[in-house]
Amino acid sequence: MRLICLTAFLLAGCGQTLYYTPPPANSDLRVNARARTVMINEVSMPEYAINQEIPIQTPDGGLQADTDQLWADLPDRALQVALTRHLNQITDAQVAAEPWPLSGFPEIEVSVTVETMIVQADGRLRFTGLYALRNDATRGGRIETFELFAPVPGEGYPAIIAAHEAAWLQLAETIARQI
């Protein structure tokens, strides 16, 4: 890990932009979903979180980002893809991101609105918001809030991105229990 951080530091010192992707995390949770098909709608995020810069909270509460350290993908799309991957792994449902690629319509649509996605000055990622599950067949659904925390497991941007993936996995496990 230190070698990765040292390499990232040296490359950043050369003025080279580095791009990061979350390392895939796996869940031990397995859920028999009530729905056979699930679609993850577009994810909504606050402006500071939707950009490729990775915001980190400073001790005074401000947000700071290094323009040479970027997400390899847009964070909203990365979260949508991660939720799709995790829910396919965790549940027995067929899960796809919007637009729905199969014939017909999905039984459940999942919408996520992120309120906070910040690496705090205390070294934890705070991930809050709400998710909505819509089921047109039963004309029902539910809206739930979430507040999740994930420790940043080390130094540097690879550890920060790993914390995001851990929080996203926690959200996928929460949603899996509801579908």
Side-chain angles (χ1 to χ4, degrees), residues 139-167:
R139 295 184 184 217
R142 64 187 305 152
I143 298 173
E144 299 286 339
T145 60
F146 63 89
E147 181 174 30
L148 304 169
F149 294 90
V152 176
E155 297 292 323
Y157 283 89
I160 291 169
I161 297 300
H164 282 80
E165 179 69 12

Side-chain angles (χ1 to χ4, degrees), residues 23-164:
N26 294 310
S27 176
D28 293 328
L29 179 66
R30 297 295 176 264
V31 173
N32 292 323
R34 292 182 292 276
R36 291 174 293 145
T37 56
V38 177
M39 181 174 72
I40 308 298
N41 289 326
E42 192 172 326
V43 173
S44 172
M45 289 189 174
E47 185 66 30
Y48 70 83
I50 203 165
N51 297 316
Q52 280 186 282
E53 293 86 8
I54 303 162
I56 300 170
Q57 188 178 49
T58 59
D60 67 0
L63 296 179
Q64 176 180 321
D66 181 344
T67 58
D68 288 331
Q69 312 288 324
L70 304 175
W71 283 96
D73 197 354
L74 294 173
D76 55 341
R77 183 180 177 286
L79 173 54
Q80 182 188 40
V81 170
L83 288 174
T84 302
R85 178 175 23 86
H86 291 314
L87 289 173
N88 272 307
Q89 176 197 21
I90 295 168
T91 73
D92 56 352
Q94 290 187 314
V95 184
E98 183 181 35
W100 185 244
L102 304 178
S103 63
F105 297 98
E107 289 179 51
I108 292 183
E109 292 183 33
V110 179
S111 297
V112 177
T113 302
V114 175
E115 179 182 5
T116 305
M117 191 169 73
I118 299 173
V119 174
Q120 298 178 315
D122 68 2
R124 296 183 307 159
L125 173 73
R126 182 169 185 246
F127 182 48
T128 66
L130 63 87
Y131 65 90
L133 305 176
R134 185 173 88 184
N135 186 334
D136 284 339
T138 63
R139 295 184 184 217
R142 64 187 305 152
I143 298 173
E144 299 286 339
T145 60
F146 63 89
E147 181 174 30
L148 304 169
F149 294 90
V152 176
E155 297 292 323
Y157 283 89
I160 291 169
I161 297 300
H164 282 80

